Amino acid sequence: MGLISKLKLAVPWGHIAARAWGSHQAAPVLCLHGWLDNANSFDRLIPLLPKDFYYVAMDFGGHGLSSHYSPGFPYYHQNFVSEVRRVAAALKWNRFSILGHSFGGTVGGTFSCIFPEMVDKLVLLDSSPLALDTNEVDNLLTCKRRAIEHVLQVEASRKPVQAVSPEEMLQGFLKNNSHVGEACGKHLLQRGTTQGATGVWLNRDRRITWPEHCFDFVSRELFVHYIKNLQAHVLLIKATEGYYALRRENDGNREPMMFVSSSLKSVLKERFQYVEVPGNHYIHMNQPQQVAGVISSFLQNKEGTPAPL
């Protein structure tokens, strides 16, 4: 499937950049990348998916080639959800499907609860439709405080952007993203960096750091309440070596993910499908063939009932 276009959608603070595959008259699928990633996240997966869809992979604000938010405005979860609504409006989509990896799945899941009539199918790649507050409730106020303080610090420091060699950039990136792998790391950095005379620097806004500064955490009670609003069919693909908690130190605790999948199953019944695949958090980049089949069956299944694997 050839890349047919690069999109630049106007928003009040600048533009949202995106990549698109297929015919824009086909059924639309919006692809939402993970935290600090960008639209290149889907370059290896989309060519393996059915050709009769229009795939648009956007860069969230402050990521990839999208504009940074205006000075003084922080990046909060609700803003990213609002970006999805803006993109749908710009593309004149009334109803579409969402394919979200990690943080992108949580943004897409939240959007699907708030605008249920707009989402046909929701694919969650090593993700959850909402950020569950397990292990976080004691930290919530601290996180809110740190988020505000961080933005003020970045504004006060006014440190110039440091250019480094492409190799140094890649090694730093891989150190912070052990699941990515060198080839995929290079591919994300292609869109995530700018080349200058003295080296490369990250495109992303320095106001964005830790996801816990940005997430809207919900209790288990609210989680169940929210997902009752979903009208979409939902496919949750769990990578067995992927992430199970927002904070890596809690990754050994698999109970929250079990709560997420069992709640979705009990509320959505036959509209929910859960599949485990061997691989790590970036399986859609490292081994896209591992997930392409189940995603393709799910997208093409008219009734939305679980397709036989």
PDB file of all heavy atoms in Angstrom, residues 46-69:
ATOM      1  N   ILE A  46       0.940  -0.736   8.812  1.00  0.00           N
ATOM      2  CA  ILE A  46      -0.144  -0.371   7.886  1.00  0.00           C
ATOM      3  C   ILE A  46      -0.043  -1.072   6.521  1.00  0.00           C
ATOM      4  O   ILE A  46      -1.054  -1.535   6.004  1.00  0.00           O
ATOM      5  CB  ILE A  46      -0.268   1.169   7.764  1.00  0.00           C
ATOM      6  CG1 ILE A  46      -0.870   1.714   9.071  1.00  0.00           C
ATOM      7  CG2 ILE A  46      -1.151   1.566   6.584  1.00  0.00           C
ATOM      8  CD1 ILE A  46      -0.908   3.215   9.188  1.00  0.00           C
ATOM      9  N   PRO A  47       1.156  -1.226   5.940  1.00  0.00           N
ATOM     10  CA  PRO A  47       1.217  -1.930   4.651  1.00  0.00           C
ATOM     11  C   PRO A  47       0.738  -3.389   4.719  1.00  0.00           C
ATOM     12  O   PRO A  47       0.428  -3.986   3.690  1.00  0.00           O
ATOM     13  CB  PRO A  47       2.706  -1.867   4.285  1.00  0.00           C
ATOM     14  CG  PRO A  47       3.214  -0.656   5.005  1.00  0.00           C
ATOM     15  CD  PRO A  47       2.454  -0.626   6.297  1.00  0.00           C
ATOM     16  N   LEU A  48       0.677  -3.963   5.929  1.00  0.00           N
ATOM     17  CA  LEU A  48       0.219  -5.356   6.088  1.00  0.00           C
ATOM     18  C   LEU A  48      -1.289  -5.443   6.337  1.00  0.00           C
ATOM     19  O   LEU A  48      -1.840  -6.540   6.412  1.00  0.00           O
ATOM     20  CB  LEU A  48       0.947  -6.024   7.273  1.00  0.00           C
ATOM     21  CG  LEU A  48       2.481  -6.001   7.235  1.00  0.00           C
ATOM     22  CD1 LEU A  48       3.047  -6.689   8.472  1.00  0.00           C
ATOM     23  CD2 LEU A  48       3.006  -6.665   5.968  1.00  0.00           C
ATOM     24  N   LEU A  49      -1.960  -4.295   6.472  1.00  0.00           N
ATOM     25  CA  LEU A  49      -3.392  -4.270   6.785  1.00  0.00           C
ATOM     26  C   LEU A  49      -4.218  -4.183   5.499  1.00  0.00           C
ATOM     27  O   LEU A  49      -3.689  -3.873   4.432  1.00  0.00           O
ATOM     28  CB  LEU A  49      -3.697  -3.089   7.718  1.00  0.00           C
ATOM     29  CG  LEU A  49      -3.003  -3.136   9.091  1.00  0.00           C
ATOM     30  CD1 LEU A  49      -3.413  -1.938   9.939  1.00  0.00           C
ATOM     31  CD2 LEU A  49      -3.290  -4.435   9.830  1.00  0.00           C
ATOM     32  N   PRO A  50      -5.529  -4.451   5.578  1.00  0.00           N
ATOM     33  CA  PRO A  50      -6.371  -4.453   4.370  1.00  0.00           C
ATOM     34  C   PRO A  50      -6.294  -3.136   3.598  1.00  0.00           C
ATOM     35  O   PRO A  50      -6.238  -2.062   4.197  1.00  0.00           O
ATOM     36  CB  PRO A  50      -7.790  -4.662   4.925  1.00  0.00           C
ATOM     37  CG  PRO A  50      -7.594  -5.273   6.267  1.00  0.00           C
ATOM     38  CD  PRO A  50      -6.298  -4.776   6.789  1.00  0.00           C
ATOM     39  N   LYS A  51      -6.301  -3.252   2.274  1.00  0.00           N
ATOM     40  CA  LYS A  51      -6.134  -2.082   1.409  1.00  0.00           C
ATOM     41  C   LYS A  51      -7.416  -1.246   1.295  1.00  0.00           C
ATOM     42  O   LYS A  51      -7.381  -0.142   0.785  1.00  0.00           O
ATOM     43  CB  LYS A  51      -5.722  -2.512  -0.003  1.00  0.00           C
ATOM     44  CG  LYS A  51      -4.526  -3.466  -0.046  1.00  0.00           C
ATOM     45  CD  LYS A  51      -3.222  -2.746   0.254  1.00  0.00           C
ATOM     46  CE  LYS A  51      -2.016  -3.650   0.155  1.00  0.00           C
ATOM     47  NZ  LYS A  51      -1.702  -4.410   1.364  1.00  0.00           N
ATOM     48  N   ASP A  52      -8.553  -1.813   1.747  1.00  0.00           N
ATOM     49  CA  ASP A  52      -9.823  -1.108   1.538  1.00  0.00           C
ATOM     50  C   ASP A  52     -10.188  -0.187   2.702  1.00  0.00           C
ATOM     51  O   ASP A  52     -11.360  -0.013   3.036  1.00  0.00           O
ATOM     52  CB  ASP A  52     -10.962  -2.099   1.235  1.00  0.00           C
ATOM     53  CG  ASP A  52     -10.959  -3.299   2.166  1.00  0.00           C
ATOM     54  OD1 ASP A  52      -9.985  -3.468   2.922  1.00  0.00           O
ATOM     55  OD2 ASP A  52     -11.926  -4.078   2.134  1.00  0.00           O
ATOM     56  N   PHE A  53      -9.172   0.402   3.340  1.00  0.00           N
ATOM     57  CA  PHE A  53      -9.377   1.396   4.396  1.00  0.00           C
ATOM     58  C   PHE A  53      -8.474   2.589   4.118  1.00  0.00           C
ATOM     59  O   PHE A  53      -7.474   2.481   3.406  1.00  0.00           O
ATOM     60  CB  PHE A  53      -9.045   0.821   5.778  1.00  0.00           C
ATOM     61  CG  PHE A  53     -10.031  -0.217   6.255  1.00  0.00           C
ATOM     62  CD1 PHE A  53      -9.846  -1.562   5.949  1.00  0.00           C
ATOM     63  CD2 PHE A  53     -11.153   0.153   6.984  1.00  0.00           C
ATOM     64  CE1 PHE A  53     -10.758  -2.520   6.366  1.00  0.00           C
ATOM     65  CE2 PHE A  53     -12.067  -0.797   7.412  1.00  0.00           C
ATOM     66  CZ  PHE A  53     -11.867  -2.138   7.095  1.00  0.00           C
ATOM     67  N   TYR A  54      -8.843   3.731   4.697  1.00  0.00           N
ATOM     68  CA  TYR A  54      -8.022   4.945   4.595  1.00  0.00           C
ATOM     69  C   TYR A  54      -7.382   5.157   5.964  1.00  0.00           C
ATOM     70  O   TYR A  54      -8.071   5.449   6.944  1.00  0.00           O
ATOM     71  CB  TYR A  54      -8.915   6.126   4.218  1.00  0.00           C
ATOM     72  CG  TYR A  54      -8.206   7.452   4.082  1.00  0.00           C
ATOM     73  CD1 TYR A  54      -7.040   7.589   3.324  1.00  0.00           C
ATOM     74  CD2 TYR A  54      -8.733   8.610   4.681  1.00  0.00           C
ATOM     75  CE1 TYR A  54      -6.411   8.819   3.179  1.00  0.00           C
ATOM     76  CE2 TYR A  54      -8.112   9.840   4.534  1.00  0.00           C
ATOM     77  CZ  TYR A  54      -6.955   9.936   3.785  1.00  0.00           C
ATOM     78  OH  TYR A  54      -6.334  11.160   3.635  1.00  0.00           O
ATOM     79  N   TYR A  55      -6.079   4.943   6.039  1.00  0.00           N
ATOM     80  CA  TYR A  55      -5.368   5.036   7.321  1.00  0.00           C
ATOM     81  C   TYR A  55      -4.707   6.404   7.451  1.00  0.00           C
ATOM     82  O   TYR A  55      -3.943   6.811   6.565  1.00  0.00           O
ATOM     83  CB  TYR A  55      -4.294   3.952   7.407  1.00  0.00           C
ATOM     84  CG  TYR A  55      -4.827   2.543   7.275  1.00  0.00           C
ATOM     85  CD1 TYR A  55      -4.865   1.911   6.034  1.00  0.00           C
ATOM     86  CD2 TYR A  55      -5.303   1.848   8.387  1.00  0.00           C
ATOM     87  CE1 TYR A  55      -5.363   0.623   5.899  1.00  0.00           C
ATOM     88  CE2 TYR A  55      -5.813   0.554   8.252  1.00  0.00           C
ATOM     89  CZ  TYR A  55      -5.838  -0.056   7.013  1.00  0.00           C
ATOM     90  OH  TYR A  55      -6.338  -1.326   6.881  1.00  0.00           O
ATOM     91  N   VAL A  56      -4.987   7.090   8.530  1.00  0.00           N
ATOM     92  CA  VAL A  56      -4.335   8.371   8.808  1.00  0.00           C
ATOM     93  C   VAL A  56      -3.625   8.263  10.152  1.00  0.00           C
ATOM     94  O   VAL A  56      -4.258   8.000  11.184  1.00  0.00           O
ATOM     95  CB  VAL A  56      -5.362   9.531   8.837  1.00  0.00           C
ATOM     96  CG1 VAL A  56      -4.680  10.827   9.287  1.00  0.00           C
ATOM     97  CG2 VAL A  56      -6.007   9.718   7.477  1.00  0.00           C
ATOM     98  N   ALA A  57      -2.304   8.411  10.131  1.00  0.00           N
ATOM     99  CA  ALA A  57      -1.512   8.395  11.369  1.00  0.00           C
ATOM    100  C   ALA A  57      -1.104   9.830  11.671  1.00  0.00           C
ATOM    101  O   ALA A  57      -0.387  10.453  10.892  1.00  0.00           O
ATOM    102  CB  ALA A  57      -0.282   7.507  11.193  1.00  0.00           C
ATOM    103  N   MET A  58      -1.589  10.358  12.788  1.00  0.00           N
ATOM    104  CA  MET A  58      -1.311  11.752  13.148  1.00  0.00           C
ATOM    105  C   MET A  58      -0.191  11.833  14.180  1.00  0.00           C
ATOM    106  O   MET A  58       0.058  10.886  14.928  1.00  0.00           O
ATOM    107  CB  MET A  58      -2.576  12.414  13.703  1.00  0.00           C
ATOM    108  CG  MET A  58      -3.089  11.797  14.997  1.00  0.00           C
ATOM    109  SD  MET A  58      -4.578  12.621  15.637  1.00  0.00           S
ATOM    110  CE  MET A  58      -3.860  13.911  16.671  1.00  0.00           C
ATOM    111  N   ASP A  59       0.500  12.966  14.188  1.00  0.00           N
ATOM    112  CA  ASP A  59       1.410  13.302  15.289  1.00  0.00           C
ATOM    113  C   ASP A  59       0.602  14.102  16.302  1.00  0.00           C
ATOM    114  O   ASP A  59       0.014  15.138  15.942  1.00  0.00           O
ATOM    115  CB  ASP A  59       2.557  14.198  14.812  1.00  0.00           C
ATOM    116  CG  ASP A  59       3.533  13.505  13.877  1.00  0.00           C
ATOM    117  OD1 ASP A  59       3.754  12.299  14.036  1.00  0.00           O
ATOM    118  OD2 ASP A  59       4.079  14.188  12.984  1.00  0.00           O
ATOM    119  N   PHE A  60       0.578  13.675  17.556  1.00  0.00           N
ATOM    120  CA  PHE A  60      -0.055  14.503  18.588  1.00  0.00           C
ATOM    121  C   PHE A  60       0.678  15.839  18.679  1.00  0.00           C
ATOM    122  O   PHE A  60       1.851  15.956  18.293  1.00  0.00           O
ATOM    123  CB  PHE A  60       0.004  13.809  19.953  1.00  0.00           C
ATOM    124  CG  PHE A  60      -0.983  12.692  20.124  1.00  0.00           C
ATOM    125  CD1 PHE A  60      -0.556  11.411  20.455  1.00  0.00           C
ATOM    126  CD2 PHE A  60      -2.351  12.917  19.982  1.00  0.00           C
ATOM    127  CE1 PHE A  60      -1.470  10.385  20.631  1.00  0.00           C
ATOM    128  CE2 PHE A  60      -3.268  11.894  20.150  1.00  0.00           C
ATOM    129  CZ  PHE A  60      -2.827  10.620  20.476  1.00  0.00           C
ATOM    130  N   GLY A  61      -0.014  16.859  19.180  1.00  0.00           N
ATOM    131  CA  GLY A  61       0.610  18.166  19.391  1.00  0.00           C
ATOM    132  C   GLY A  61       1.902  18.029  20.188  1.00  0.00           C
ATOM    133  O   GLY A  61       1.967  17.254  21.141  1.00  0.00           O
ATOM    134  N   GLY A  62       2.942  18.771  19.773  1.00  0.00           N
ATOM    135  CA  GLY A  62       4.217  18.715  20.489  1.00  0.00           C
ATOM    136  C   GLY A  62       5.051  17.494  20.178  1.00  0.00           C
ATOM    137  O   GLY A  62       6.132  17.311  20.744  1.00  0.00           O
ATOM    138  N   HIS A  63       4.567  16.620  19.293  1.00  0.00           N
ATOM    139  CA  HIS A  63       5.283  15.408  18.892  1.00  0.00           C
ATOM    140  C   HIS A  63       5.556  15.449  17.386  1.00  0.00           C
ATOM    141  O   HIS A  63       4.819  16.094  16.638  1.00  0.00           O
ATOM    142  CB  HIS A  63       4.453  14.151  19.171  1.00  0.00           C
ATOM    143  CG  HIS A  63       4.201  13.850  20.616  1.00  0.00           C
ATOM    144  ND1 HIS A  63       3.338  14.599  21.391  1.00  0.00           N
ATOM    145  CD2 HIS A  63       4.673  12.859  21.412  1.00  0.00           C
ATOM    146  CE1 HIS A  63       3.301  14.066  22.615  1.00  0.00           C
ATOM    147  NE2 HIS A  63       4.102  13.015  22.650  1.00  0.00           N
ATOM    148  N   GLY A  64       6.564  14.710  16.925  1.00  0.00           N
ATOM    149  CA  GLY A  64       6.803  14.554  15.492  1.00  0.00           C
ATOM    150  C   GLY A  64       6.905  15.884  14.786  1.00  0.00           C
ATOM    151  O   GLY A  64       7.680  16.770  15.171  1.00  0.00           O
ATOM    152  N   LEU A  65       6.073  16.060  13.753  1.00  0.00           N
ATOM    153  CA  LEU A  65       6.108  17.288  12.955  1.00  0.00           C
ATOM    154  C   LEU A  65       4.943  18.220  13.257  1.00  0.00           C
ATOM    155  O   LEU A  65       4.734  19.208  12.556  1.00  0.00           O
ATOM    156  CB  LEU A  65       6.112  16.927  11.453  1.00  0.00           C
ATOM    157  CG  LEU A  65       7.275  16.043  10.983  1.00  0.00           C
ATOM    158  CD1 LEU A  65       7.146  15.722   9.495  1.00  0.00           C
ATOM    159  CD2 LEU A  65       8.625  16.699  11.265  1.00  0.00           C
ATOM    160  N   SER A  66       4.163  17.902  14.296  1.00  0.00           N
ATOM    161  CA  SER A  66       3.051  18.784  14.675  1.00  0.00           C
ATOM    162  C   SER A  66       3.560  19.984  15.473  1.00  0.00           C
ATOM    163  O   SER A  66       4.589  19.905  16.148  1.00  0.00           O
ATOM    164  CB  SER A  66       2.025  18.014  15.514  1.00  0.00           C
ATOM    165  OG  SER A  66       1.283  17.136  14.696  1.00  0.00           O
ATOM    166  N   SER A  67       2.796  21.072  15.402  1.00  0.00           N
ATOM    167  CA  SER A  67       3.167  22.291  16.139  1.00  0.00           C
ATOM    168  C   SER A  67       3.164  22.042  17.642  1.00  0.00           C
ATOM    169  O   SER A  67       2.386  21.234  18.150  1.00  0.00           O
ATOM    170  CB  SER A  67       2.163  23.412  15.838  1.00  0.00           C
ATOM    171  OG  SER A  67       2.120  23.706  14.468  1.00  0.00           O
ATOM    172  N   HIS A  68       4.032  22.779  18.327  1.00  0.00           N
ATOM    173  CA  HIS A  68       4.000  22.792  19.789  1.00  0.00           C
ATOM    174  C   HIS A  68       2.825  23.662  20.233  1.00  0.00           C
ATOM    175  O   HIS A  68       2.416  24.578  19.516  1.00  0.00           O
ATOM    176  CB  HIS A  68       5.293  23.389  20.348  1.00  0.00           C
ATOM    177  CG  HIS A  68       6.503  22.543  20.058  1.00  0.00           C
ATOM    178  ND1 HIS A  68       7.749  22.829  20.551  1.00  0.00           N
ATOM    179  CD2 HIS A  68       6.656  21.404  19.334  1.00  0.00           C
ATOM    180  CE1 HIS A  68       8.615  21.919  20.145  1.00  0.00           C
ATOM    181  NE2 HIS A  68       7.974  21.051  19.393  1.00  0.00           N
ATOM    182  N   TYR A  69       2.302  23.385  21.420  1.00  0.00           N
ATOM    183  CA  TYR A  69       1.249  24.232  21.962  1.00  0.00           C
ATOM    184  C   TYR A  69       1.806  25.640  22.212  1.00  0.00           C
ATOM    185  O   TYR A  69       3.014  25.826  22.366  1.00  0.00           O
ATOM    186  CB  TYR A  69       0.720  23.670  23.285  1.00  0.00           C
ATOM    187  CG  TYR A  69      -0.216  22.478  23.147  1.00  0.00           C
ATOM    188  CD1 TYR A  69      -0.462  21.865  21.921  1.00  0.00           C
ATOM    189  CD2 TYR A  69      -0.857  21.965  24.273  1.00  0.00           C
ATOM    190  CE1 TYR A  69      -1.319  20.783  21.805  1.00  0.00           C
ATOM    191  CE2 TYR A  69      -1.717  20.872  24.170  1.00  0.00           C
ATOM    192  CZ  TYR A  69      -1.941  20.284  22.939  1.00  0.00           C
ATOM    193  OH  TYR A  69      -2.785  19.206  22.848  1.00  0.00           O
TER     194      TYR A  69
END
